[in-house]
């Protein structure tokens, strides 16, 4: 008992997430995805090691 309200709230939240746009900037997302597609896994690994501070 008592699961009805919780399930109804979860359903409501899921609907809001599914049908609302939340102001996503699709052009910026497209630019970020296309910029990341040109680099290889090795390039990304090198970038990550450069960002780490020396111990």
């Amino acid at each position: 008992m008592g699961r009805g309200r919780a399930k109804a709230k979860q359903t409501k939240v899921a609907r809001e997430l599914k049908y609302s746009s939340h102001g996503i900037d699709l052009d910026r997302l497209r630019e970020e995805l296309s910029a990341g597609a040109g680099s290889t896994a090795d390039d990304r690994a090198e970038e990550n090691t450069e960002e780490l501070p020396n111990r």
Side-chain angles (χ1 to χ4, degrees):
M1 290 182 24
R3 174 100 170 88
R5 284 188 185 177
K7 186 170 194 277
K9 179 155 180 134
Q10 289 175 348
T11 303
K12 179 182 175 184
V13 170
R15 261 192 215 114
E16 288 174 0
L17 290 172
K18 182 177 181 180
Y19 294 113
S20 63
S21 65
H22 294 290
I24 297 172
D25 187 359
L26 296 176
D27 292 329
R28 182 174 173 208
L29 178 62
R30 190 176 296 119
E31 288 174 12
E32 289 181 15
L33 291 175
S34 64
S39 62
T40 63
D42 293 333
D43 294 338
R44 286 191 298 267
E46 288 176 9
E47 290 173 3
N48 289 340
T49 56
E50 292 173 1
E51 294 174 4
L52 296 175
N54 294 336
R55 294 183 186 188

